[in-house]
Amino acid sequence: MKELVIDLEAEKKEILKRYRALLKASKATLQKGDKRLIRQAFNMALDSHKDMRRKSGEPYIYHPIAVAQIAAEEIGLGTTSIVCALLHDVVEDTAITLEDLEREFGKKVARIIDGLTKISGVFDYNSSLQAENFRKMLLTLADDVRVILIKLADRLHNMRTMEFMPRDKQLKISSETVYLYAPLAHRLGLYAIKSELEDLSMKYMESETYKFIARKLNEKKAERELYIKTFVEPIREILHDQELKAEVYGRPKSIHSIWNKMRKKGIPFEEVYDLFAIRIILDSKLENEKADCWKAYSIVTDLYRPNPDRLRDWISSPKGNGYESLHTTVMGPKGQWVEVQIRTQRMNEIAEKGFAAHWKYKESSSDSGLDQWIQKVREMLKNPDSNALDFLDDFKMNLFSDEIFIFTPKGALMQLPTDATALDFAFEIHSDLGARCIGAKVNHKLVPLSHKLQNGDQVEIITSSKQTPKEDWLNFVVTAKAKSKIKSSLKEEKRRVAEEGKEILERKLKSLKITYNSDNIHKIAFYFKFQNTLDLFYNVALGKIDLKDLKEFQTSERTVEQNSPKTIEAAQLEGIMNKVKTKDSDTLLIGEDLQKIDYKLSSCCNPIPGDDVFGFITINDGIKIHRTNCPNATKLMANYGYRVVKAKWTSQKELAFLTGLRITGIDEVGLINKITTVISNDFKVNMRSITVDSDEGIFEGSIMVYVNDTQHLENLIKKLRQVRGVTSVTRFESESASMHKAS
């Protein structure tokens, strides 16, 4: 390896240059004495990290400076946040303690940095370290939203500089980013950061697709710019004539959003029309904002015909994260649909800088959706029972991207996520109302609890004092508040029943002359395979364990070891992990004998040789192999990063792997025959199943075939696309596989 030559003088100059750029970026918010505080934090960070380097070989201090720069410049945060960003890693990586920070910079700074510091110490294999860290961070968010904003700046800089990381780390960090941090940036209204995080995650997780779309966008750049110019000119002229001061420009859509569209609609890149959006940013006084936006809308729609279904008015009712804008899609020249976004400079700053700008304009807006959202997070954190992963799932649901507006019987407006039900609405108003809800009237018509609400519905809740929350309610509610309230009510009920079970068990043990003590209770719980004593008492109360079973326990009691299922699971997990780690290389080679390490190919994504894959350690099935772009991969890597192992295929040709192909086309005579001929005769590939559906001349089929590897599969797809009448051939994952199967 080439020796790294370090020029310390040049580095010193570079550090100072970056520090000055940071001061320049924070100039707008600086007050008396702030500069001294920032200098003090910078000196402490510089000294603490002086001997540390990043994976790229550059001084570690570059990272805290960059995070502070993003916080100041791209999010618009002030001095406290800049100080915290500069010091965000010192407690974790150096000898400095939170007490030292509190002494130097006060309680507030110490509390924010505590929220940013990862949990250390003993770690239980059954929980998820990522989820625990995230929960800790959110606990601080309830007091101070800057924790999350600095964390987003930190994550953004890590994603921008990730090329020197090992591949498995890149995948884990990208998964966590797209699973949690991008939705969080969206929720806080930081659209630019959200898009960049998604794009950067895609760059590592779907690198081929990412490069392909980037290349295509680049090829069409000149043509696109010319089109935008032609489209925008007449709008500019009329705005000028009507004395509306405005900036009008075109902005390319992010690579991730283009890819999303291709995936959702199943269309190739060439068919994605809205590769850019036109923005009209008006310079308006606060009192004229609404009127000016509608004036601009009328100018655009006089010039170009609008699509009536595509008008989105977030000016009259802003989104929950404070976003205000008017969106319409119009038919531009050459028969192309173009999205136009109309907003004022104030609205644009809120859209770009999200939360920080929202506080700046807070005086002008009433209690906003963001405040309500933070209130909801606080409520969720109050639930002491929830385990970190359940909490994370519930929280993830609350990062909804689209909201619907629902009216109460008195005409008050409530915001709920899309797909919310009448029961969600009841819990949203009040927990007790939700718990006693037996039905609802939507627009004066009686509906069941599971009825999905539509935008603009007026809902009245019907209750009964005899009603209590039911287990199946969890299947159709979508808000985190409803989920956690139902869970805690059910737990409460279970505890009440378990109390009775405890008394029954005590009497039964007495009659068998078994001493009632915690040692014996744990042994009995383990003998009957319960995770905890609460489940044992509960089942006794339900009559599922009677005296006869306890007698059996008594006779076999000598062989029962004092081990809970949890400790056994943890030991199994640790055993598999150590087995993998003691191998010569830390990469799992699939297709070899593998020193008897048990692995299975996951049925949720059917990986085949040539696919980019990783191994995931499960408790019952040994190691499961998933494709890195498997629908469940993001969640597994984001929550259980420590269970992920690197994996790659060995070159074995004689094995055949099952995969699925979806074929659509124009239904012609003999089309199926042509397709099966290509598969069976030309390619000598075995088919396991074929299902075909033909509707009004359109043919749709899915075929499960055995192939050797991705190259083999790609050749087969290419050949099938050449069959006359076939319009598209795509590979698909097995749809029946649920999340449970994956883990």
Side-chain angles (χ1 to χ4, degrees):
M1 203 177 129
K2 206 170 77 186
E3 187 64 34
L4 193 69
V5 182
I6 295 167
D7 182 345
L8 290 175
E9 270 315 300
E11 275 184 1
K12 248 185 203 157
K13 277 185 187 153
E14 182 59 30
I15 291 171
L16 271 175
K17 189 174 139 200
R18 291 181 185 212
Y19 172 67
R20 287 196 191 103
L22 168 65
L23 282 181
K24 201 171 159 199
S26 54
K27 211 171 183 171
T29 55
L30 286 184
Q31 286 168 355
K32 201 170 181 286
D34 284 355
K35 213 166 171 175
R36 189 185 55 77
L37 264 180
I38 295 174
R39 180 82 209 188
Q40 196 181 339
F42 168 69
N43 286 339
M44 186 186 253
L46 189 59
D47 187 49
S48 309
H49 297 302
K50 66 174 179 284
D51 300 324
M52 294 166 68
R53 296 202 165 260
R54 300 195 81 202
K55 281 268 192 304
S56 59
E58 48 184 39
Y60 193 85
I61 188 70
Y62 285 5
H63 171 64
I65 297 175
V67 174
Q69 181 100 18
I70 293 170
E73 209 165 32
E74 298 178 46
I75 307 179
L77 293 171
T79 304
T80 307
S81 305
I82 292 168
V83 167
C84 294
L86 284 168
L87 297 168
H88 76 274
D89 277 336
V90 294
V91 175
E92 207 169 303
D93 298 340
T94 72
I96 289 172
T97 63
L98 282 169
E99 289 71 33
D100 297 336
L101 291 176
E102 192 174 324
R103 222 178 15 258
E104 294 282 328
F105 300 98
K107 234 188 181 77
K108 195 90 207 151
V109 167
R111 184 148 173 78
I112 293 175
I113 291 173
D114 184 29
L116 292 163
T117 305
K118 293 193 184 84
I119 294 168
S120 57
V122 187
F123 167 51
D124 164 17
Y125 272 111
N126 282 293
S127 80
S128 155
L129 189 57
Q130 282 101 320
E132 292 290 0
N133 282 326
F134 195 73
R135 185 180 185 165
K136 178 187 175 192
M137 196 166 67
L138 284 175
L139 278 162
T140 336
L141 156 87
D143 300 332
D144 199 321
V145 75
R146 287 176 288 196
V147 174
I148 293 284
L149 296 173
I150 297 164
K151 185 68 194 170
L152 283 170
D154 177 34
R155 179 54 58 122
L156 182 58
H157 185 249
N158 281 335
M159 290 297 293
R160 282 174 180 171
T161 53
M162 206 160 61
E163 65 269 29
F164 297 101
M165 286 272 196
R167 171 93 177 119
D168 59 326
K169 277 266 172 52
Q170 291 175 343
L171 283 173
K172 279 180 212 172
I173 294 171
S174 301
S175 296
E176 201 183 41
T177 301
V178 87
Y179 185 69
L180 277 174
Y181 291 102
L184 196 50
H186 177 99
R187 196 69 191 95
L188 296 171
L190 296 157
Y191 287 102
I193 288 179
K194 169 213 174 218
S195 297
E196 194 178 341
L197 286 174
E198 285 176 339
D199 274 5
L200 288 166
S201 299
M202 188 184 162
K203 184 176 159 185
Y204 293 104
M205 294 172 78
E206 295 276 349
S207 49
E208 290 306 310
T209 322
Y210 179 86
K211 284 177 200 154
F212 168 77
I213 297 176
R215 195 176 65 246
K216 286 280 195 189
L217 280 175
N218 220 9
E219 284 167 12
K220 294 266 167 72
K221 197 174 176 190
E223 189 185 314
R224 206 167 49 241
E225 282 172 355
L226 188 67
Y227 185 89
I228 291 172
K229 199 168 172 235
T230 325
F231 183 92
V232 160
E233 280 305 312
I235 299 176
R236 279 206 185 111
E237 279 171 28
I238 303 175
L239 283 168
H240 186 262
D241 293 346
Q242 299 210 6
E243 291 177 1
L244 279 172
K245 273 208 261 174
E247 266 186 277
V248 187
Y249 56 90
R251 187 192 59 90
K253 289 270 176 83
S254 74
I255 292 179
H256 186 272
S257 65
I258 293 170
W259 177 60
N260 247 349
K261 196 150 273 183
M262 287 162 64
R263 256 191 336 179
K264 274 191 186 146
K265 296 189 173 171
I267 53 174
F269 177 84
E270 286 67 29
E271 285 174 38
V272 180
Y273 289 118
D274 45 354
L275 296 172
F276 58 88
I278 300 292
R279 262 196 200 155
I280 300 175
I281 313 285
L282 296 154
D283 183 0
S284 297
K285 290 198 175 86
L286 198 60
E287 60 275 15
N288 304 336
E289 282 193 335
K290 217 168 169 179
D292 286 354
C293 286
W294 284 108
K295 251 188 224 163
Y297 171 78
S298 137
I299 289 169
V300 173
T301 52
D302 280 349
L303 281 165
Y304 305 107
R305 185 176 291 279
N307 177 341
D309 299 332
R310 300 283 299 150
L311 172 65
R312 300 278 179 272
D313 171 12
W314 285 303
I315 290 180
S316 309
S317 1
K319 279 190 181 186
N321 55 20
Y323 180 81
E324 294 173 74
S325 192
L326 206 51
H327 291 199
T328 181
T329 304
V330 297
M331 182 56 85
K334 298 183 191 166
Q336 238 193 41
W337 288 112
V338 178
E339 187 187 339
V340 182
Q341 303 172 353
I342 302 165
R343 55 177 88 138
T344 63
Q345 282 175 348
R346 177 189 68 83
M347 295 171 188
N348 193 49
E349 195 175 346
I350 287 179
E352 294 297 324
K353 297 236 173 97
F355 216 103
H358 155 83
W359 289 131
K360 182 170 148 190
Y361 294 110
K362 195 155 191 301
E363 296 72 50
S364 61
S365 62
S366 57
D367 185 26
S368 77
L370 272 174
D371 301 325
Q372 291 165 17
W373 180 72
I374 286 200
Q375 193 48 47
K376 276 185 197 159
V377 175
R378 279 193 193 124
E379 278 179 23
M380 281 171 61
L381 287 161
K382 276 183 198 153
N383 181 6
D385 297 331
S386 76
N387 105 15
L389 273 174
D390 287 351
F391 167 78
L392 208 108
D393 280 345
D394 289 352
F395 178 79
K396 177 105 172 67
M397 285 168 44
N398 243 20
L399 296 172
F400 39 81
S401 44
D402 291 316
E403 290 117 347
I404 51 175
F405 294 97
I406 306 296
F407 292 96
T408 66
K410 290 187 176 154
L413 192 66
M414 304 279 285
Q415 271 182 349
L416 285 169
T418 313
D419 288 341
T421 59
L423 188 57
D424 284 305
F425 176 77
F427 273 104
E428 203 56 38
I429 291 175
H430 199 280
S431 311
D432 294 347
L433 194 69
R436 297 200 313 276
C437 177
I438 52 168
K441 280 184 178 173
V442 172
N443 307 329
H444 309 296
K445 268 172 51 195
L446 207 58
V447 297
L449 298 179
S450 57
H451 174 82
K452 280 189 182 172
L453 301 174
Q454 302 295 317
N455 211 355
D457 279 348
Q458 188 168 20
V459 184
E460 182 188 340
I461 297 298
I462 304 160
T463 58
S464 156
S465 55
K466 292 189 173 64
Q467 178 71 298
T468 56
K470 307 283 180 283
E471 186 94 36
D472 68 324
W473 285 10
L474 290 168
N475 299 334
F476 57 80
V477 292
V478 302
T479 58
K481 181 178 180 182
K483 273 219 152 95
S484 70
K485 293 292 177 205
I486 294 166
K487 278 180 193 163
S488 59
S489 294
L490 291 170
K491 271 194 181 142
E492 214 32 70
E493 177 60 17
K494 190 173 177 178
R495 277 201 192 99
R496 202 184 52 69
V497 175
E499 276 305 314
E500 294 168 20
K502 194 175 174 182
E503 288 168 20
I504 298 168
L505 185 65
E506 214 168 327
R507 287 199 298 275
K508 283 184 176 176
L509 291 181
K510 214 173 192 176
S511 69
L512 288 169
K513 299 192 170 48
I514 296 175
T515 321
Y516 183 89
N517 60 23
S518 67
D519 201 25
N520 281 335
I521 297 298
H522 279 297
K523 280 183 186 173
I524 295 169
F526 177 59
Y527 175 76
F528 289 112
K529 294 191 169 52
F530 291 121
Q531 290 278 3
N532 51 43
T533 52
L534 183 74
D535 288 346
L536 170 71
F537 296 146
Y538 182 68
N539 279 284
V540 168
L542 296 181
K544 289 187 181 169
I545 293 172
D546 65 27
L547 214 55
K548 192 166 88 263
D549 300 324
L550 285 167
K551 276 182 182 152
E552 275 174 29
F553 159 74
Q554 203 175 12
T555 56
S556 68
E557 201 246 336
R558 287 163 208 84
T559 62
V560 174
E561 284 181 44
Q562 185 58 25
N563 252 342
S564 76
K566 267 194 176 168
T567 52
I568 286 179
E569 281 180 7
Q572 280 174 343
L573 260 183
E574 215 165 342
I576 301 175
M577 281 170 141
N578 291 338
K579 219 174 187 181
V580 174
K581 282 174 186 156
T582 51
K583 282 176 45 247
D584 304 336
S585 85
D586 60 350
T587 303
L588 201 58
L589 293 173
I590 309 157
E592 286 187 347
D593 184 3
L594 263 186
Q595 300 178 349
K596 304 286 176 286
I597 287 183
D598 191 16
Y599 69 87
K600 287 184 181 164
L601 300 179
S602 168
S603 57
C604 61
C605 57
N606 288 329
I608 64 174
D611 280 334
D612 211 353
V613 287
F614 67 94
F616 182 74
I617 299 174
T618 64
I619 289 160
N620 304 324
D621 292 338
I623 295 174
K624 276 201 166 178
I625 305 299
H626 289 265
R627 277 160 60 189
T628 50
N629 57 358
C630 158
N632 298 319
T634 324
K635 184 169 183 177
L636 296 177
M637 287 196 265
N639 285 337
Y640 300 102
Y642 61 94
R643 289 202 204 170
V644 171
V645 287
K646 286 189 277 188
K648 67 171 189 234
W649 302 94
T650 56
S651 50
Q652 285 198 331
K653 279 278 176 268
E654 61 281 2
L655 288 175
F657 295 83
L658 187 67
T659 191
L661 292 177
R662 187 166 288 118
I663 302 179
T664 55
I666 311 296
D667 199 4
E668 287 185 16
V669 180
L671 182 63
I672 293 185
N673 194 14
K674 284 182 212 159
I675 289 171
T676 49
T677 306
V678 168
I679 295 173
S680 309
N681 297 358
D682 301 2
F683 267 79
K684 307 276 184 290
V685 168
N686 285 330
M687 276 186 291
R688 192 179 78 174
S689 66
I690 176 166
T691 52
V692 177
D693 192 20
S694 177
D695 182 25
E696 294 181 4
I698 302 294
F699 159 91
E700 271 197 5
S702 53
I703 302 176
M704 299 301 286
V705 291
Y706 286 97
V707 293
N708 302 123
D709 54 27
T710 43
Q711 194 54 54
H712 190 191
L713 179 67
E714 272 161 27
N715 293 339
L716 175 61
I717 290 175
K718 209 179 270 174
K719 200 83 176 163
L720 285 169
R721 282 185 181 143
Q722 288 164 4
V723 173
R724 212 182 113 188
V726 170
T727 52
S728 83
V729 183
T730 48
R731 176 180 174 182
F732 67 89
E733 282 87 23
S734 97
E735 264 135 25
S736 59
S738 67
M739 189 64 224
H740 299 297
K741 255 189 187 166
S743 55

